[in-house]
Amino acid sequence: RGGTLPDLIGPGTRLLFVGFNPGLRSVAVQAPFSLRSNRFWSTLYRAGILDRVVDASEGMDAADRAHIIARGVGLTSLVRRATARADELSPAELVAGARDLERRVSGAPPRVVAILGITAYRIGFGVKDAVPGEQSARIAGVPLWVVPNPSGLNAHATPALLASAYRAAAVAAGIEVLPEPH
């Protein structure tokens, strides 16, 4: 609890995905989205953002990190500290995380920032009536998107819905998406 996970951001990041905060397992293995029940990596593959599904369950190897960065994808968290569940975060932490994210984005701006989950966005950015998709607001001048949270707990977001939303954000960021796998 309370540990952190370093950002995965390269010099050519075009699309920056922002999760709520790292989970305990992710901090333990020092790899984002390490739970096999989380659909993040399979969504990136299904959306044509990556050419393979990354297995981060025991950590992430250098080849996967290099591939993610080469594809123009970056990963960070709204709140840095690890918790067992996202609902352990206070609204004040989400608001402070949004301010911190703006500072981080302004330092090396991507083309698009995609927040993973409408709840974190609504609370952190103070937009109670926000809907998924591209937002009218910007962060450090960068277009801001809200895409569905890939957690297995977010069961109403189907794999097809996840892939479609992530693909749209990737296209907006100028990532040349790959054909959808069969």
Side-chain angles (χ1 to χ4, degrees), residues 78-168:
L78 196 56
V79 175
R80 301 289 198 164
R81 79 176 178 94
T83 60
R85 296 179 325 274
D87 65 4
E88 294 177 42
L89 300 174
S90 71
E93 284 179 288
L94 293 169
V95 170
R99 283 193 304 267
D100 181 54
L101 178 64
E102 184 157 17
R103 285 190 292 277
R104 288 183 273 147
V105 168
S106 68
R111 292 185 187 168
V112 167
V113 171
I115 307 293
L116 303 176
I118 193 72
T119 302
Y121 178 73
R122 286 177 177 160
I123 295 169
F125 291 84
V127 186
K128 291 179 175 48
D129 60 348
V131 296
E134 185 173 6
Q135 305 301 302
S136 59
R138 300 288 183 252
I139 183 165
V142 175
L144 189 57
W145 285 62
V146 175
V147 297
N149 188 315
S151 168
L153 299 174
N154 188 14
H156 74 275
T158 65
L161 175 71
L162 289 167
S164 175
Y166 286 43
R167 186 179 190 88

